[in-house]
Amino acid sequence: MKVLSVVGNRPQFIKSGPLSVALRDRGIDEVVVHTGQHYDRELSQVFFDELELRPPAYRLDLKTPDIGRMQTKVAEVVGAERPDWVLVYGDTNSTLAGARAAGDTPVAHVEAGLRSGDLTMPEEHSRIEVDRLASLLLCPDERSRRILGEEGVAGRAEVVGDVMADANFKLAPIARERSPILAALELEPGGYAVATVHREANVRPERLARILEGLGQIEGPVILPAHPRTASVARSRGLTPGHVRMIQPLGYLDFAALASQARVILTDSGGLQKEAYWYGVPCVTLRPSTEWKDTVE
Ligand code: UDP
């Protein structure tokens, strides 16, 4: 059997790690396509190096979030490889482009059935459409499967657990042992806050300014590994983050070491909300809604 996996963004590289190993262990041939939606080294290559992911067979290097352009190129690869399945992860533009590009090839969707209920988020539209296109819906939990049932989604839904948990449980202990990040930033375990902000609604200048102002009121150091689009808005608008330390995005291991020993995590990331819970670190979710409802409940 041949599976064509479509990845393109930071969280997808992380999610693909445990699954690639599982596919290999079962003798399933996996061909990886990297759309190039994320292309900065800190958001892409570092994960291939650190998580020992096999280099993608196809690097489309598109450097764009444009769904149509990604779809056209991925469809060419589907035509050339003729896989049995197209595998897509999560809820990004690369996910949607991959699912649309599959054509007659069945689609498997990892992290199916998640809903924030907030249609102002582009990710929510991706989730709904990809779940409608998928033949196999790989749900992280019972709630997601129930949601798909209520929506009358046609594909076969299976609760399979959470691939980010698989990656995290394996790598976070190694990260804490090996990463020099706390010493490099002169931090003590439990003595600082970690923040990440990159959702479209939160990087609009007025909103970002208010978030940074709020972060600036937190006692003690606040470390913000800033996504390029966050950094670029902050820079161009001269949003000075007070005592918030804006640094480059980190690789998975350094970030896991940093986040897991924080006093508190403040984030609009989907994945990091869950990781905070697994670390036992309180999480303030910087959004009015979340698709990971269990982290709030
Ligand atoms: N992450 C990372 N380095 C950072 C910030 C986050 O490795 O500087 C990891 C984080 O631990 C989590 C993933 O990136 O595993 C979350 O990705 P992101 O927030 O980009 O996407 P989302 O989960 O919101 O789709």
Side-chain angles (χ1 to χ4, degrees):
M1 189 195 288
K2 190 200 271 189
V3 171
L4 187 92
S5 299
V6 181
V7 295
N9 309 70
R10 170 167 68 188
Q12 293 166 350
F13 311 134
I14 297 164
K15 288 165 197 174
S16 75
L19 210 55
S20 286
V21 172
L23 291 170
R24 214 175 308 158
D25 285 351
R26 280 158 189 76
I28 295 171
D29 185 14
E30 186 192 27
V31 176
V32 178
V33 185
H34 182 339
T35 63
Q37 186 182 340
H38 277 175
Y39 52 90
D40 304 83
R41 193 189 131 66
E42 292 79 18
L43 293 189
S44 174
Q45 190 55 41
V46 69
F47 296 97
F48 283 87
D49 298 344
E50 211 175 49
L51 308 182
E52 295 175 8
L53 305 178
R54 275 196 302 198
Y58 294 86
R59 274 184 194 280
L60 303 182
D61 236 349
L62 293 170
K63 301 190 176 171
T64 173
D66 186 277
I67 298 167
R69 284 185 56 205
M70 290 195 269
Q71 179 183 343
T72 307
K73 289 289 174 196
V74 176
E76 284 171 20
V77 180
V78 173
E81 290 285 339
R82 306 182 66 75
D84 299 290
W85 288 90
V86 171
L87 181 64
V88 295
Y89 295 88
D91 55 19
T92 73
N93 288 3
S94 293
T95 318
L96 190 51
R100 286 182 183 168
D104 294 336
T105 309
V107 172
H109 183 205
V110 175
E111 292 192 345
L114 292 164
R115 299 289 181 269
S116 67
D118 180 356
L119 286 167
T120 63
M121 287 180 76
E123 292 89 343
E124 186 75 349
H125 292 271
S126 296
R127 293 178 196 122
I128 294 169
E129 182 176 337
V130 173
D131 284 341
R132 286 192 186 142
L133 292 171
S135 301
L136 181 59
L137 299 129
L138 302 166
C139 305
D141 51 30
E142 290 294 343
R143 178 202 300 277
S144 319
R145 176 156 63 184
R146 200 177 60 240
I147 288 172
L148 294 172
E150 286 163 5
E151 287 184 10
V153 161
R156 181 178 128 214
E158 298 282 351
V159 177
V160 294
D162 190 319
V163 282
M164 285 201 107
D166 294 337
N168 195 257
F169 295 168
K170 181 170 161 221
L171 295 168
I174 301 173
R176 275 189 297 271
E177 220 168 84
R178 294 202 197 144
S179 165
I181 191 73
L182 262 66
L185 296 174
E186 300 179 342
L187 299 168
E188 292 296 332
Y192 59 92
V194 169
T196 76
V197 184
H198 67 280
R199 293 266 91 76
E200 191 178 290
N202 280 347
V203 298
R204 295 195 193 124
E206 303 71 36
R207 177 90 71 93
L208 185 60
R210 290 210 306 278
I211 290 173
L212 290 173
E213 195 190 312
L215 295 178
Q217 289 169 22
I218 294 172
E219 216 172 283
V222 180
I223 312 300
L224 173 61
H227 192 282
R229 75 172 170 187
T230 313
S232 122
V233 175
R235 237 189 342 260
S236 69
R237 299 295 176 119
L239 303 174
T240 45
H243 72 278
V244 177
R245 286 163 68 182
M246 215 183 265
I247 61 172
Q248 289 270 326
L250 297 171
Y252 188 77
L253 295 179
D254 282 342
F255 189 75
L258 184 73
S260 64
Q261 298 178 82
R263 179 164 57 82
V264 61
I265 290 171
L266 307 100
T267 188
D268 61 8
S269 158
L272 186 51
Q273 290 173 53
K274 295 187 288 176
E275 288 166 356
Y277 174 75
W278 297 325
Y279 296 143
V281 174
C283 176
V284 178
T285 296
L286 302 176
R287 317 192 209 149
S289 66
T290 176
E291 63 284 11
W292 297 104
K293 296 193 191 326
D294 289 336
T295 62
V296 177
E297 285 177 10

